[in-house]
Amino acid sequence: MAKKLMKGCEAIAEAAIQAGCRFFFGYPITPQNDIPEYMSARMPKIGGCFLQAESEVAAINMVYGAAAAGARVMTSSSSPGVSLKQEGISYIAGAELPCVVCNMMRGGPGLGSIQPSQGDYFQATKGGGHGDYHLIVLAPSSVQEAVDLMHNAFDLADIYRTPVMLLADGIIGQMMEPVEFHEHEQKELPAKTWAVTGWKGDRPRSIVNSLYIEVDELQEMNDRLQARYKEIQEKEVMVEQYKTEGAEVIVCAYGTVARICKSAIALCEAKGVKVGLVRPITIWPFPEKELRAVMAQPSVKREITVEISAGQMHEDVRLAINGMKPVDFYGKPGSYTPTAEEIADYILKTREA
Amino acid sequence: MLWTNIFAGFGGQGVLLIGQLLAYAGMYEGKNVSWLPSYGPEMRGGTANCSVVVSDEPVASPCINMADCVIAMNRPSLDKFEANVLPGGKLFINSSIIDKKATRTDIDVYYVPCNEIADSLNNPKVGNMAMLGAYLEATKAVDSKSVLDALLYKLGEKKAHLIPLNEQAIELGKASVRDQIK
């Protein structure tokens, strides 16, 4: 298929539809409005359902309902709106249901700004709502990758019966890049025997629930979740390594920032300094082993994490590297997107220190 | 081949559109491209800008700070972005409404009378296309044929009759900088 120049948000919406998503519930917020706008135009034409809910809280609970009925369902929002969805996401995780939540991160805390940010890393990867749960969190760094990851997102959600988050910054949403919609191989997915589709006496009753009054029963559910998370950590890590071989400095960044780092790496290269990049594509599960292996190379002297945050992913980087070599952080909380020149300057300066 | 560009001007001058046309044209020619608009408060108060990358290699950063080319359609854009042209880069100034000269001496500067060109074609809307023509002449980043293909895609068949007018604007824009190219 020929390439199309598409805005990130629109491409993500189209990719979701092509991945079989037929239900979308959302509430407007910048910078992700092009997703519901696109869905509102397309869903009625393909027999799907687009519904603008009265609030984010309502939207995520509609997602809960559609997921319980076995549908491929998605919602999208941006940071403050995603905060509102957290209770529902926790319930969906507890009820062991698949769905996709898209967060086009903007500056925070509070209403913050509408400019790009990466301040929701903790919320996305550490739980966000109450209880011991994780989402699988996919962090694209281009429009094409966002499109490709949408297929993974719905499949992973079904395989592990868990909410999956596509975590992107506002740049991915607003930028236009060429995209190709590939035919994706249809994975063998587990049958949704648990779905509540109307009981006609031909199977055991399905009950969707996240309330377990008995300690033992709640324990059993939590053990099931933890076993699943362990399996996800073993099997589903995705990471890009860029020029890491023989590098002196390793930069760790995700999303659009990782691409700015690639430009910074070229600037360092021009000055004769070899810098590599480790870019987590899944930020949960975090590519701990992969990062550690790169850092263990004798050529590597230190690591620098770059984020539009006060250093949230940097905590996972530190846990992974665990004191093996020095680490540094460059970035600001809020919405300031660092330039390639600033990042290169920091790398060169830190290296000499 | 790598061109990093910042297109800037008033809202309504069509800077986002010519940036997009460049991105489409690059894509049609098999190059890697990205188009990133300013959005939100940056756009309010009348200035709009977009960063466009056209490259043989995959596009690293779509966010451009220092650009090979800056296209300034109005005075605030010149004031804001003149410093963001890479040494040896190119600065395009809409001389119809910007009375100021560039202060940089380490870059190539092109003065393009966009509004006069548009007036000569009796259509004030095509000043942006004149500027795009000047850009194409000075950079040869993409072929103007690809730009016109992109414009036809954007306009749709119903408005295909506007293509010759836009083509004329591109040609006049090209001609306006021919003797400024060093």
Side-chain angles (χ1 to χ4, degrees):
Chain A
M1 195 193 261
K3 282 189 177 175
K4 280 180 85 175
L5 194 67
M6 280 181 96
K7 213 176 208 190
C9 280
E10 293 178 350
I12 285 168
E14 177 58 31
I17 287 170
Q18 292 195 14
C21 175
R22 288 296 177 272
F23 292 83
F24 181 93
F25 308 103
Y27 187 80
I29 185 169
T30 306
Q32 62 83 53
N33 285 324
D34 322 68
I35 296 179
E37 185 189 9
Y38 192 92
M39 289 293 193
S40 70
R42 283 276 281 140
M43 279 298 193
K45 289 184 189 151
I46 54 168
C49 168
F50 164 85
L51 197 151
Q52 180 171 317
E54 65 269 35
S55 73
E56 287 87 348
V57 177
I60 193 67
N61 282 293
M62 291 173 187
V63 169
Y64 186 4
R72 279 210 154 174
V73 56
M74 167 180 169
T75 185
S76 70
S77 192
S78 180
S79 307
V82 176
S83 291
L84 284 165
K85 292 182 195 289
Q86 291 303 329
E87 181 200 48
I89 295 173
S90 171
Y91 276 52
I92 295 169
E96 300 169 70
L97 294 175
C99 71
V100 175
V101 178
C102 181
N103 181 1
M104 288 287 161
M105 283 182 283
R106 62 187 242 182
L111 272 176
S113 75
I114 60 171
Q115 300 301 311
S117 174
Q118 296 184 313
D120 302 352
Y121 180 93
F122 282 158
Q123 186 191 60
T125 62
K126 308 296 174 188
H130 57 282
D132 264 310
Y133 74 92
H134 278 290
L135 312 175
I136 298 174
V137 188
L138 309 172
S141 80
S142 69
V143 177
Q144 182 67 57
E145 191 174 47
V147 162
D148 295 337
L149 287 175
M150 274 321 270
H151 281 264
N152 293 46
F154 283 98
D155 285 353
L156 288 168
D158 281 350
I159 292 167
Y160 295 103
R161 291 179 61 181
T162 179
V164 173
M165 180 172 278
L166 190 86
L167 187 74
D169 46 73
I171 297 171
I172 297 281
Q174 296 302 312
M175 173 169 60
M176 285 177 99
E177 286 191 308
V179 283
E180 250 175 312
F181 292 90
H182 306 288
E183 283 289 321
H184 279 254
E185 118 189 62
Q186 198 49 59
K187 272 192 188 166
E188 189 86 32
L189 296 170
K192 295 182 173 180
T193 51
W194 41 263
V196 283
T197 52
W199 187 69
K200 295 176 198 75
D202 55 346
R203 56 165 171 79
R205 288 179 189 274
S206 295
I207 297 170
V208 168
N209 170 47
S210 71
L211 176 67
Y212 296 86
I213 294 288
E214 297 294 333
V215 172
D216 292 352
E217 288 177 11
L218 180 62
Q219 190 62 52
E220 209 176 288
M221 182 263 265
N222 268 288
D223 288 348
R224 208 159 51 232
L225 289 184
Q226 293 302 321
R228 228 173 256 160
Y229 298 147
K230 193 156 175 283
E231 190 184 343
I232 292 168
Q233 284 175 305
E234 280 160 11
K235 289 189 188 163
E236 305 299 347
V237 168
M238 286 187 269
V239 60
E240 180 194 0
Q241 298 189 20
Y242 176 77
K243 299 191 173 181
T244 51
E245 220 177 289
E248 179 188 327
V249 179
I250 293 298
V251 171
C252 196
Y254 71 99
T256 309
V257 177
R259 291 175 64 177
I260 305 174
C261 288
K262 285 185 181 175
S263 291
I265 287 170
L267 295 172
C268 292
E269 216 167 48
K271 300 215 163 142
V273 180
K274 288 194 73 175
V275 182
L277 170 75
V278 173
R279 177 176 72 87
I281 298 169
T282 51
I283 54 172
W284 200 92
F286 187 80
E288 279 180 55
K289 272 183 247 154
E290 292 76 5
L291 177 59
R292 224 172 7 245
V294 167
M295 289 303 293
Q297 294 181 97
S299 67
V300 176
K301 299 282 182 288
R302 61 169 62 241
E303 184 278 345
I304 300 173
T305 311
V306 185
E307 290 176 76
I308 313 176
S309 82
Q312 299 192 10
M313 183 175 73
H314 192 47
E315 292 196 359
D316 283 338
V317 168
R318 284 164 61 195
L319 283 169
I321 296 174
N322 200 16
M324 189 203 316
K325 292 193 180 159
V327 296
D328 274 292
F329 175 76
Y330 184 73
K332 286 179 189 165
S335 270
Y336 182 76
T337 304
T339 67
E341 289 81 5
E342 288 165 350
I343 296 169
D345 282 352
Y346 185 82
I347 294 170
L348 296 171
K349 195 179 73 196
T350 314
R351 169 185 173 259
E352 281 155 15
Chain B
M1 185 274 250
L2 169 68
W3 290 104
T4 56
N5 314 282
I6 297 171
F7 290 82
F10 287 126
Q13 276 184 310
V15 291
L16 299 185
L17 176 65
I18 54 174
Q20 248 183 44
L21 293 177
L22 174 61
Y24 273 103
M27 180 178 76
Y28 291 161
E29 294 183 8
K31 297 177 171 97
N32 297 289
V33 299
S34 66
W35 176 87
L36 176 65
S38 58
Y39 67 94
E42 279 184 288
M43 278 170 74
R44 296 183 187 133
T47 66
N49 71 77
C50 60
S51 300
V52 182
V53 181
V54 182
S55 170
D56 285 332
E57 301 294 318
V59 177
S61 174
C63 312
I64 306 304
N65 176 41
M66 296 301 287
D68 297 310
C69 297
V70 165
I71 291 85
M73 289 296 280
N74 66 356
R75 175 73 190 263
S77 300
L78 177 63
D79 293 343
K80 187 171 175 190
F81 291 114
E82 183 175 358
N84 296 67
V85 184
L86 282 164
K90 300 177 194 302
L91 173 62
F92 298 83
I93 294 176
N94 177 6
S95 57
S96 300
I97 59 165
I98 303 174
D99 51 5
K100 201 181 132 199
K101 297 279 176 204
T103 54
R104 296 270 299 270
T105 54
D106 60 337
I107 57 175
D108 297 331
V109 184
Y110 304 91
Y111 296 92
V112 188
C114 299
N115 298 33
E116 277 91 339
I117 292 172
D119 289 344
S120 76
L121 296 169
N122 295 318
N123 189 321
K125 287 183 192 161
V126 295
N128 60 339
M129 299 305 288
M131 181 55 100
L132 186 55
Y135 170 87
L136 295 176
E137 183 69 16
T139 62
K140 311 279 185 202
V142 296
D143 202 78
S144 48
K145 167 83 174 57
S146 312
V147 170
L148 290 168
D149 288 348
L151 185 66
L152 182 60
Y153 172 78
K154 290 289 286 183
L155 289 175
E157 289 296 338
K158 273 189 197 157
K159 290 186 183 171
H161 62 278
L162 294 171
I163 295 289
L165 168 70
N166 283 277
E167 189 172 7
Q168 276 179 302
I170 289 175
E171 288 308 318
L172 291 173
K174 284 184 172 184
S176 75
V177 292
R178 229 160 255 151
D179 58 354
Q180 299 180 55
I181 294 171
K182 285 163 197 124

